[in-house]
Amino acid sequence: MSRSGRRLRVLVAEGSPVAHRLIVSILNGDPELQVIAEAEDGDQAVQLAIRIRPDVIVMDVVMPSMSGVEATRTIMESLPTPIVLVSPINGASDPSKSFEALEAGALALLPKPSGRQASTFAADAATLTTTVKLMADVKLVRRARRASRPELVAGPEPASARELRQPVEIIAIAASTGGPAALATVVGALPRTTPVPIVVVQHMMEGFHQGLVDWLDRRSPVSVRLARSGEALRAGELLVAPSGAHLGVTGAGTVALSRDPPIGGHRPSATHLFRSVAGAYGARGVGVILTGMGEDGVPGLRALKEAGGLVLAQDEATSVVYGMPRKAVALGIVDQVLPVDRMAGALIAAWNGGKR
């Protein structure tokens, strides 16, 4: 139940009649959820959201009349509401649309649940209901109309950047809820001549990582790819951990993927990544923790900090969920807390030895 003791009120907006009925059935089958309204297109979704003010919206990315992207943007500009996106992962739609909707303010992206006869149905249904309940607790703010693209805003110079005894040779970034938009803001403002490799763990449902990579690559001056085990780390290239594998690095400057058990329920795990960077690069590494639920990455950042590395965290005001960064800040292992639009400036200062 919600904190008030009532069932969470859900609006379902889905263009496919079959998927629509299935999603409504799954949600109504949970005693903590109640579907109070249904929409068949984006226009209806916007009108109903404003009129009935649901606790959560479950919305298809591709709908007639108005897409899920435009509907998300309109809702977040007028009446911010937690939105969980559902999208096929079989290539039936443009994956970039899902990430545009996340950038517009949607909180989570899930594959459309499989039919009741599928072996994965129970897991898909549990993921949907659990995600809806988790997202209902996220506190949102009204979104301003978007800028055409992120701009580089110089951040305050991290104090420890002036004290680095060794040059920065790698940047590791971790994010969860709200991460795709935050990543786009950070990497979209980095120069094409970025002199170090960047490695990223973004928590995301299986099947969407390649879509994230393709979307970020179009938004970023640096090259963005999925990481492949054994490949060399290259300056000006951003590698994203693939689904179901931990991303690590070696002292020889190569990628090391691992199928070891999840850490804290996550694979890929940010803690694994940061520990790997700490072991391979020590004081030459920078760790960045962005918006997200939970505390994945925090133990790894502690290891990086103890190895002499620089640790940066996104601030509460610009985080969709101030969970992961908050945990790191509370432990006293963060050198600088920054708005997301100042993070790129701080990274540039770090690899320039404190000079922007």
Side-chain angles (χ1 to χ4, degrees), residues 7 10 12 18-35 58 86 110-116 120-133:
R7 297 171 76 183
V10 184
V12 173
V18 174
H20 192 126
R21 289 192 298 270
L22 182 62
I23 291 170
V24 169
S25 174
I26 290 171
L27 296 174
N28 279 335
D30 189 297
E32 299 180 29
L33 303 173
Q34 179 183 13
V35 177
V58 176
V86 290
L110 303 179
K112 288 193 179 185
S114 52
R116 293 186 179 276
T120 60
F121 173 75
D124 291 348
T127 297
L128 176 60
T129 56
T130 299
T131 302
V132 167
K133 287 182 275 190

Side-chain angles (χ1 to χ4, degrees), residues 291-306:
T291 174
M293 288 184 173
E295 56 185 39
D296 184 38
V298 177
L301 283 177
R302 184 201 290 272
L304 182 58
K305 178 67 174 177
E306 291 173 350

Side-chain angles (χ1 to χ4, degrees), residues 1-9 32 55 133 136-137:
M1 295 288 179
S2 67
R3 291 177 182 175
S4 64
R6 62 175 175 81
R7 297 171 76 183
L8 292 170
R9 303 161 63 251
E32 299 180 29
D55 297 308
K133 287 182 275 190
D137 286 334

Side-chain angles (χ1 to χ4, degrees), residues 7 65 98 107 109 118 137 151 157 226 287 295:
R7 297 171 76 183
S65 178
S98 298
L107 296 179
L109 174 61
D137 286 334
E151 296 181 359
E157 181 182 329
L226 279 181
E295 56 185 39

Side-chain angles (χ1 to χ4, degrees), residues 181-205:
L183 282 169
T185 297
V186 176
V187 304
L190 294 176
R192 187 177 300 277
T193 55
T194 292
V196 297
I198 304 169
V199 283
V200 171
V201 163
Q202 166 66 57
H203 295 164
M204 183 161 288
M205 291 295 296

Side-chain angles (χ1 to χ4, degrees), residues 13-20 39-41 59-64 112:
E14 168 62 61
S16 163
V18 174
H20 192 126
E40 297 178 353
D41 58 47
M59 184 155 57
D60 189 2
V61 176
V62 180
M63 291 186 291
K112 288 193 179 185

